[in-house]
Amino acid sequence: MTFLAQSVTSIEAGPAIGLLTILVSAALTENILLTRFLGLCPFLAISRNLKSAFGMGLAVIVVTTCTVWLNSLLYQHVLKPAEAYGVPAESLKLILFIVVIAAFVQLLEMVIERISLKLYFALGIFLPLITVNCAILGAALFMVNKGFTGLDALMYGFGCGLGWFVAIVLMAGIRWKLRKARVPAALEGPGIALIVAGIMAMAFVIFTGMIKT
Amino acid sequence: MTSVLIATVLVMAVSTVFAALLLMAERLLVRYGQCRIDVNDHSKTLEVEGGGNLLMTLKEEGIFLPSACGGRGTCAYCKVKIASGGGPVGPTEESLLTAAEIADDVRIACQCKVRNDLAIVIPEALLSAREYRGKVERIRDLTDDIKELRIALLDPQTIEFVPGQYIQLEAPAYGDNPEPVFRAYSISSPPDDHGHVELIIRLVPGGICTTWVFEHLKEGDEVRLTGPYGEFHPSETQREMVWIAGGSGMAPFWSIVRHMKQHNIARKTTYFFGSVRKADVFFLDELSALAKELPWFEFVPALSGDDGDWSGERGLITDVVARRVSDGADVEAYLCGSPGMIDAAIKILHDKGIGDDRIFYDKFA
């Protein structure tokens, strides 16, 4: 890990390394779920079983990657140019990003249901839940704050989704183990899950500072 | 000023583009066209519009599968065998089906979309379930939160059922309730009264159907119902029976006991009926009179609250059963009431040596 950190921080010249930095920082050090606590409701609700957590995580990766990229295109090529005419891009982006996410998720659900029922049952049924997953909107807004465009934005979206996926799958594994643990009655369910999430968050925060973006 | 205009047009343009995309996708992708459903190996073939769920699609074609939850995928009553064309079993079905049922192609109809041609197998008894139109002839208060509904059937005018079976009453859209819902109620009238159906309905605070019955339904109103459904009725054996009920769980037994009297079915029966207050007990005089008249029938009402003036049994109905039933070796038990009461009663019955094969119940959650 030290080696990775050194290679990431020391060489920042090549575009490939730049993309890798974005990916690692989005997925690990700035894990959208564990360091910003976004997308917490589905994280707690769907992490009871590993199979659903896996499906939900994959769905989030797909949706975050695509919508962050779409939103970056919208921001760069529609909102930014419109700023010249006095349009408040910063305020409008919130509304438009939500429209893009909601529409994209519905579209994706229809397409998946038509293409493969197996994939639909594994992934598609989580899509309606994703429309209201704040991690997706969060990723798009952070993308603007960080000034990512084009390929960088795509990679950032993928990294955010990947980070969410890693967190929920880890959590599902831990909760599976927890079923055999003797948890104090008052902490059963969401209580112990939040404590576990907090400890996991500390483990992820350790990576902070390893990468400067 | 222009900036406001441009911003508005911008938001509208982006929204319109996505709305158009969605509409196009719906046109191209969600259309399933005409699908053919083959029922019971070519005994009936239905031509239906694809895209809806199987439960509702069959309902439109006049086949009424039972469903207590109204298609929300919780009660698992609408099980149906899809011999071909069913596709993979969805995650919403998995938890409601046993491994043996999945292997046998049994599916939850309300969770299956009609996407292509299907071949399904339905028990013949369910094909006799029909939709009825009726008129509310009488509504009377049995207690402060239980009403009896007497419905005269208009179309069809008569119904055949086995005492203990239930129907589903349709609560139409009203007030904050945007669409019709179906709820299951046991028939409390005896089957010889072919032209009528009586129901005993307890007010569930916040319940869609019961609120409608208590606050909106009037005598003379038209109602729709489907049925009859259910396997809850006395077995063919001559074993002694123990009935346990609370509240509106009275309904099936009120039908069964009168049917047994009319047809001279003298099978030893003890009916335990539990209430909290004395004001919650209904049909007390009628059932006590029946118990006096019929040598094989005993009625044991019990109060769990501490009302002063009461000569009958006291305590939770399950405790009363524990006290009064001594040997369960040759006894069958029939239960109707809240899920909590049923679970508690099953425990007591197991202790008395009554196995699951001799315990029968309808759990309306």
Side-chain angles (χ1 to χ4, degrees):
Chain A
M1 217 56 210
T2 338
F3 163 73
L4 180 69
Q6 273 172 357
S7 67
V8 166
T9 43
S10 52
I11 315 161
E12 283 189 3
I17 295 298
L19 285 179
L20 190 65
T21 314
I22 291 171
L23 176 70
V24 173
S25 73
L28 295 179
T29 60
E30 284 175 37
N31 186 303
I32 195 149
L33 202 151
L34 290 171
T35 64
R36 311 223 189 229
F37 275 75
L38 286 177
L40 207 57
C41 328
F43 173 70
L44 290 177
I46 315 283
S47 62
R48 283 193 205 99
N49 119 17
L50 195 59
K51 202 177 145 201
S52 330
F54 201 82
M56 181 76 182
L58 282 183
V60 168
I61 293 184
V62 173
V63 172
T64 323
T65 312
C66 299
T67 57
V68 167
W69 188 62
L70 276 177
N71 279 329
S72 107
L73 291 183
L74 180 74
Y75 187 75
Q76 290 303 322
H77 300 292
V78 180
L79 280 175
K80 267 282 169 196
E83 236 175 2
Y85 302 97
V87 172
E90 290 307 308
S91 324
L92 283 189
K93 74 178 185 215
L94 185 66
I95 304 172
L96 289 179
F97 285 3
I98 293 174
V99 171
V100 169
I101 292 168
F104 179 79
V105 167
Q106 279 199 40
L107 213 59
L108 192 66
E109 191 189 354
M110 285 191 240
V111 171
I112 289 181
E113 188 178 353
R114 199 67 196 194
I115 293 174
S116 155
L117 275 184
K118 274 223 167 75
L119 190 64
Y120 178 68
F121 284 141
L123 197 141
I125 49 157
F126 299 109
L127 287 175
L129 290 172
I130 284 185
T131 319
V132 289
N133 185 338
C134 46
I136 314 273
L137 181 64
L141 294 174
F142 290 141
M143 171 270 295
V144 173
N145 282 355
K146 289 174 183 289
F148 289 143
T149 55
L151 218 51
D152 287 355
L154 188 70
M155 195 49 110
Y156 180 71
F158 177 68
C160 285
L162 188 66
W164 205 91
F165 170 85
V166 167
I168 194 170
V169 169
L170 284 177
M171 188 64 179
I174 293 173
R175 284 183 91 166
W176 191 75
K177 290 265 178 201
L178 270 179
R179 279 197 289 194
K180 292 206 175 72
R182 286 198 297 169
V183 177
L187 288 178
E188 270 171 19
I192 193 74
L194 278 172
I195 293 175
V196 169
I199 297 171
M200 279 167 69
M202 283 198 274
F204 274 76
V205 166
I206 288 172
F207 293 116
T208 320
M210 199 173 84
I211 298 170
K212 288 190 179 65
T213 46
Chain B
M1 189 60 207
T2 33
S3 65
V4 173
L5 215 63
I6 293 174
T8 316
V9 169
L10 194 74
V11 172
M12 275 166 58
V14 173
S15 307
T16 315
V17 166
F18 278 102
L21 267 176
L22 278 176
L23 281 175
M24 256 163 60
E26 217 173 331
R27 271 275 168 85
L28 295 172
L29 298 174
V30 190
R31 278 281 170 85
Y32 290 92
Q34 289 287 314
C35 298
R36 187 169 291 144
I37 302 181
D38 176 77
V39 183
N40 291 0
D41 209 12
H42 304 304
S43 76
K44 204 171 182 184
T45 307
L46 313 169
E47 290 282 344
V48 301
E49 182 71 32
N53 76 50
L54 184 59
L55 178 71
M56 288 302 159
T57 307
L58 287 177
K59 180 175 171 263
E60 274 162 27
E61 296 296 320
I63 296 178
F64 300 95
L65 298 179
S67 159
C69 66
R72 287 175 304 177
T74 56
C75 74
Y77 281 19
C78 60
K79 280 178 189 164
V80 59
K81 182 175 167 149
I82 303 185
S84 76
V89 177
T92 44
E93 295 173 82
E94 267 169 4
S95 57
L96 301 171
L97 295 169
T98 64
E101 284 172 332
I102 292 176
D104 195 31
D105 295 323
V106 174
R107 304 290 294 270
I108 305 293
C110 67
Q111 300 298 309
C112 288
K113 220 171 178 178
V114 180
R115 296 185 171 91
N116 42 34
D117 292 355
L118 298 174
I120 62 175
V121 182
I122 303 173
E124 287 295 328
L126 278 184
L127 290 174
S128 71
R130 302 193 54 177
E131 185 173 45
Y132 291 86
R133 216 160 41 78
K135 199 174 89 174
V136 179
E137 201 171 270
R138 184 184 70 206
I139 301 177
R140 66 171 170 153
D141 290 318
L142 297 178
T143 72
D144 52 16
D145 67 346
I146 297 179
K147 281 187 195 291
E148 184 192 59
L149 230 62
R150 183 172 167 83
I151 299 165
L153 299 176
L154 299 175
D155 178 34
Q157 290 187 327
T158 59
I159 185 170
E160 298 284 340
F161 64 93
V162 184
Q165 284 193 302
Y166 66 91
I167 56 92
Q168 294 201 62
L169 185 65
E170 179 184 310
Y174 70 94
D176 292 337
N177 175 37
E179 54 187 18
V181 295
F182 282 88
R183 291 291 182 267
Y185 298 102
S186 297
I187 305 172
S188 61
S189 50
D192 286 348
D193 189 359
H194 293 289
H196 292 89
V197 165
E198 285 176 11
L199 311 172
I200 294 176
I201 299 178
R202 176 185 209 141
L203 178 65
V204 178
I208 294 172
C209 191
T210 62
T211 307
W212 169 68
V213 168
F214 272 69
E215 290 176 11
H216 297 269
L217 194 64
K218 296 184 301 294
E219 286 175 2
D221 283 358
E222 270 206 14
V223 292
R224 297 165 93 83
L225 47 98
T226 61
Y229 304 113
E231 302 297 319
F232 183 73
H233 48 75
S235 65
E236 300 289 320
T237 66
Q238 280 306 313
R239 286 202 186 96
E240 182 184 340
M241 292 191 286
V242 168
W243 299 348
I244 307 171
S248 54
M250 166 73 84
F253 301 119
W254 184 228
S255 170
I256 295 170
V257 70
R258 289 187 288 168
H259 176 76
M260 288 171 74
K261 183 192 166 194
Q262 270 158 6
H263 293 263
N264 293 317
I265 305 171
R267 192 169 157 189
K268 191 165 168 20
T269 302
T270 313
Y271 179 14
F272 295 94
F273 183 72
S275 310
V276 180
R277 302 165 301 150
K278 199 178 168 190
D280 296 329
V281 189
F282 54 99
F283 295 155
L284 182 63
D285 297 341
E286 291 91 332
L287 282 164
S288 302
L290 277 178
K292 238 178 230 160
E293 184 188 337
L294 307 168
W296 47 266
F297 181 63
E298 190 184 358
F299 180 54
V300 185
L303 288 194
S304 60
D306 41 34
D307 279 18
D309 176 31
W310 177 256
S311 56
E313 284 279 359
R314 282 185 181 279
L316 284 174
I317 195 66
T318 44
D319 299 338
V320 178
V321 172
R323 277 204 299 275
R324 299 274 293 235
V325 178
S326 47
D327 179 20
D330 202 31
V331 170
E332 282 176 2
Y334 295 81
L335 322 174
C336 190
S338 67
M341 188 212 84
I342 287 176
D343 291 338
I346 289 174
K347 237 180 242 166
I348 300 285
L349 294 169
H350 283 168
D351 292 346
K352 297 285 177 190
I354 305 178
D356 284 327
D357 56 327
R358 282 185 282 131
I359 302 177
F360 307 95
Y361 56 86
D362 258 346
K363 216 182 208 176
F364 295 121

